[in-house]
C-alpha cells in the first residue's frame, strides 16, 4: 500500500525576526522591496531537500536506500529515492516508486531508507 506525503513551509515573524522552516522540495522566498524605486530583491530562499544533495544522499544511502539519478537525456527530471520492494513484489515485476525529495511529512514506505520529516529551520 502506498501512502503519500507532503511538503511544508512555515514562516513565523516575532518582532523583527523572521523564522522559516521547510521540509521537502517546496520553495519560499523572502523579498525586499524598495518603496522609493519599487525595485525588489530576493534576500532569502528556502533550501529544497533533493536526494542528490551530498548530505541528503549520504543519509539515504547510509540507511540502505537508493537514489536514482535520471539519465542526461531526461531534461527536467529529478533524482528520486526509490521505494524498497518486497521479494514478492520483485518476483511479480513491480516497479519501485520514486520520490523526488529527500524529506517529507508522510511517505512512510521511505522512512526506513532515510527519508525524514525533520525541517530545515532558519
Amino acid at each position: 500500500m502506498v501512502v503519500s506525503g507532503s511538503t511544508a513551509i512555515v514562516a513565523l515573524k516575532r518582532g523583527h525576526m523572521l523564522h522559516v522552516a521547510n521540509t521537502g522540495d517546496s520553495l519560499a522566498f523572502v523579498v525586499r522591496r524598495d518603496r522609493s524605486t519599487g525595485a525588489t530583491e530576493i534576500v532569502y530562499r528556502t533550501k529544497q531537500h533533493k536526494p542528490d544533495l551530498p548530505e541528503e544522499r549520504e543519509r539515504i544511502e547510509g540507511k540502505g536506500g537508493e537514489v536514482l539519478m535520471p539519465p542526461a537525456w531526461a531534461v527536467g527530471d529529478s533524482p528520486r529515492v526509490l521505494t524498497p520492494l518486497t521479494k514478492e513484489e520483485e518476483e511479480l515485476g513491480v516497479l519501485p516508486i520514486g520520490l523526488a525529495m529527500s524529506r517529507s511529512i508522510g511517505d512512510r514506505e521511505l522512512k526506513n531508507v532515510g527519508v525524514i520529516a525533520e525541517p530545515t529551520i532558519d
Side-chain angles (χ1 to χ4, degrees):
M1 179 173 145
V2 175
V3 179
S4 295
S6 183
T7 65
I9 296 176
V10 176
L12 172 66
K13 185 172 187 249
R14 296 186 75 188
H16 294 293
M17 291 293 298
L18 180 65
H19 304 277
V20 180
N22 75 294
T23 295
D25 62 354
S26 293
L27 284 173
F29 298 87
V30 176
V31 179
R32 181 181 345 202
R33 180 173 177 267
D34 185 314
R35 291 181 185 179
S36 61
T37 66
T40 58
E41 170 191 15
I42 297 172
V43 294
Y44 175 79
R45 175 189 153 173
T46 56
K47 176 182 173 184
Q48 290 182 301
H49 296 121
K50 293 291 193 176
D52 61 330
L53 294 173
E55 65 274 13
E56 300 293 309
R57 187 171 189 168
E58 183 178 310
R59 183 187 64 252
I60 291 162
E61 290 176 345
K63 290 275 197 166
E66 182 179 354
V67 175
L68 175 69
M69 299 300 289
W73 53 262
V75 178
D77 200 0
S78 299
R80 297 179 184 277
V81 181
L82 298 180
T83 55
L85 297 177
T86 65
K87 187 168 179 66
E88 180 182 4
E89 289 170 327
E90 286 179 7
E91 290 171 356
L92 291 171
V94 173
L95 297 175
I97 296 170
L99 182 66
M101 66 194 83
S102 54
R103 298 184 189 207
S104 71
I105 299 169
D107 292 307
R108 291 185 301 210
E109 291 85 2
L110 295 166
K111 297 301 177 193
N112 292 335
V113 295
V115 174
I116 60 175
E118 183 179 325
T120 296
I121 302 172
D122 294 321

